[in-house]
């Protein structure tokens, strides 16, 4: 029987559920431990230092819960803290930005990519760098408009028209994704992107796919909405295959060492040891109110979330 891998996945709140859903639908052999940092949401205007500290605490917690791979299901953390987390922990990590930028580069036809994201993600310019890297890797057809512009020396920054949308996250966390308030605010945020004629819009915050119907209605059929989660699933699948192959090669029975924390400030808890025996597919932890998370999560996912456990991290 194929080994069921445990994925540790985190976000500031309910946004990571959009990524979790894609993973669970497409990869049948995984289990997910979800952490929503709802006591500290939103992350969107936090400093890099804070996001690194939060990330360290959460990754340590998830490793303690048996995670063998971490999915940073938060663009803001991916854009700022992920490189540091990768250095500090000896566990494979997948973020949102590289896969999302690659997908946008592959999908745009007119070569005009738009980005909606949090303030911190926009300021980091991580998506522009990701688009540059995807172009440099050559994962775009030779005749693409974007490639031509890039080869002519246009900065990737100019190729990505970015708009920060600070009010979206609080609205979604409050369960107001389908409200008239959300529609009005979305019209204002999207107007400059419409004016710029973007043809592919990166949903650069994991909360935003919950607004897809609203965004779609405003922008119309001609603008392709790019959800980085789709590309994250592809990368995760490749990574898990690679891990399986490596394990087979070793075939020594010594087990996967990926879950060992390099970071010594916070030790993993022993609860990882008991998880292998149960039959769960998802487990949910939050730092804030578990009832609110369950209620909003149920509505957004349109599936029941039964148990949400509260944990306190940091101070
Ligand atoms: N969902 C997160 C992201 O992808 C964080 C949003 C926030 O907390 O501001 O950026």
């Amino acid at each position: 029987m194929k080994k069921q891998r445990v994925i540790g996945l985190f976000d500031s709140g309910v946004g990571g559920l959009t990524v979790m859903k894609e993973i669970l639908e497409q990869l049948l052999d995984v289990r997910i431990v979800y952490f929503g940092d709802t006591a500290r949401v939103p992350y969107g205007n936090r400093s890099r230092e804070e996001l690194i500290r939060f990330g360290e605490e959460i990754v340590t917690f998830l490793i303690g819960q048996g995670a063998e791979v971490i999915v940073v299901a938060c663009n803001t953390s991916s854009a700022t803290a992920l490189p540091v987390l990768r250095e500090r922990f000896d566990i494979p990590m997948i973020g949102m930005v590289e896969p999302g930028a690659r997908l946008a580069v592959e999908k745009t036809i007119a070569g005009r990519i738009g980005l909606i994201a949090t303030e911190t993600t926009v300021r980091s310019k991580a998506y522009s760098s990701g688009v540059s890297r995807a172009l440099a890797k050559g994962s775009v057809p030779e005749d693409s408009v974007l490639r031509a512009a890039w080869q002519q020396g246009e900065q990737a920054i100019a190729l990505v028209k970015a708009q920060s949308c600070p009010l979206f996250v609080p609205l979604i966390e409050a369960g107001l994704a389908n409200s008239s308030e959300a529609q009005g605010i979305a019209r204002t945020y999207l107007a400059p992107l419409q004016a710029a004629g973007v043809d592919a819009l990166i949903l650069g915050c994991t909360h935003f796919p919950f607004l897809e119907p609203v965004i779609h209605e405003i922008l119309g059929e001609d603008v392709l909405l790019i959800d980085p989660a789709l590309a994250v699933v592809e990368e995760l699948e490749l990574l898990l295959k690679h891990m399986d192959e490596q394990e087979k090669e070793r075939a020594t029975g010594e087990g996967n060492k990926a879950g060992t924390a390099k970071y010594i400030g916070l030790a993993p808890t022993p609860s990882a040891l008991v998880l292998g025996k149960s039959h769960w597919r998802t487990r949910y932890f939050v730092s804030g109110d578990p009832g609110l998370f369950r209620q909003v999560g149920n509505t957004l996912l349109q599936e029941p979330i039964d148990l949400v456990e509260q944990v306190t991290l940091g101070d």
Side-chain angles (χ1 to χ4, degrees):
M1 206 180 99
K2 199 162 184 292
K3 184 177 176 192
Q4 273 211 322
R5 297 278 182 190
V6 178
I7 313 296
L9 184 148
F10 75 91
D11 179 42
S12 59
V14 292
L17 294 175
T18 60
V19 185
M20 185 198 79
K21 196 165 187 262
E22 285 302 328
I23 296 174
L24 291 177
E25 276 173 12
Q26 294 187 47
L27 306 181
L28 302 178
D29 288 319
V30 301
R31 297 191 283 173
I32 294 186
V33 182
Y34 188 100
F35 184 85
D37 201 1
T38 53
R40 302 188 285 203
V41 69
Y43 275 10
N45 48 10
R46 297 272 185 183
S47 70
R48 183 170 169 272
E49 289 66 32
E50 277 179 306
L51 293 164
I52 291 170
R53 179 161 56 84
F54 297 167
E56 284 173 351
E57 291 166 2
I58 296 167
V59 171
T60 302
F61 172 76
L62 291 170
I63 290 171
Q65 296 302 318
E68 296 159 274
V69 174
I70 300 291
V71 174
V72 182
C74 172
N75 289 267
T76 312
S77 297
S78 302
T80 52
L82 180 56
V84 177
L85 297 177
R86 279 197 170 119
E87 272 170 26
R88 295 195 182 165
F89 291 90
D90 187 17
I91 183 169
M93 294 191 196
I94 295 182
M96 304 302 298
V97 175
E98 291 294 320
R102 172 178 63 78
L103 195 60
V105 162
E106 283 168 11
K107 297 284 180 195
T108 180
I109 294 168
R112 288 192 293 273
I113 297 175
L115 167 72
I116 50 173
T118 65
E119 187 69 51
T120 300
T121 302
V122 170
R123 235 184 307 116
S124 75
K125 299 190 170 57
Y127 267 100
S128 303
S129 312
V131 163
S132 286
R133 277 193 293 275
L135 286 162
K137 276 187 195 157
S139 64
V140 205
E142 280 297 329
D143 57 354
S144 111
V145 176
L146 186 65
R147 192 172 180 77
W150 181 69
Q151 277 168 341
Q152 281 161 20
E154 270 199 52
Q155 291 289 313
I157 280 173
L159 302 175
V160 178
K161 170 86 183 155
Q163 172 69 47
S164 62
C165 306
L167 294 175
F168 277 168
V169 172
L171 277 169
I172 293 164
E173 287 288 327
L176 295 170
N178 288 314
S179 61
S180 54
E181 287 89 341
Q183 278 174 8
I185 290 166
R187 276 186 203 287
T188 309
Y189 284 151
L190 296 174
L193 299 167
Q194 277 179 305
V198 302
D199 76 322
L201 178 65
I202 302 171
L203 305 179
C205 170
T206 53
H207 282 72
F208 296 176
F210 290 127
L211 291 172
E212 223 175 292
V214 173
I215 296 170
H216 202 67
E217 204 190 306
I218 297 169
L219 294 182
E221 298 293 320
D222 293 342
V223 179
L224 192 63
L225 302 186
I226 308 285
D227 181 355
L230 306 175
V232 167
V233 175
E234 286 170 12
E235 298 213 354
L236 183 58
E237 192 172 13
L238 286 177
L239 173 67
L240 295 177
K241 259 193 205 138
H242 179 68
M243 286 167 70
D244 285 347
E245 278 163 17
Q246 274 193 329
E247 253 177 40
K248 250 188 228 149
E249 266 169 35
R250 272 189 250 124
T252 58
E254 69 176 301
N256 187 319
K257 286 181 180 161
T260 312
K262 220 194 261 172
Y263 183 64
I264 46 166
L266 299 154
T269 66
S271 54
L273 305 173
V274 294
L275 286 185
K277 293 177 189 149
S278 59
H279 295 292
W280 56 276
R281 182 118 207 260
T282 48
R283 290 190 71 190
Y284 299 94
F285 295 92
V286 292
S287 54
D289 178 1
L292 180 63
F293 181 89
R294 196 169 47 239
Q295 187 196 324
V296 176
N298 279 342
T299 315
L300 292 172
L301 279 183
Q302 293 175 338
E303 278 168 33
I305 292 176
D306 298 325
L307 180 67
V308 181
E309 295 170 65
Q310 189 178 24
V311 288
T312 306
L313 301 182
D315 342 304

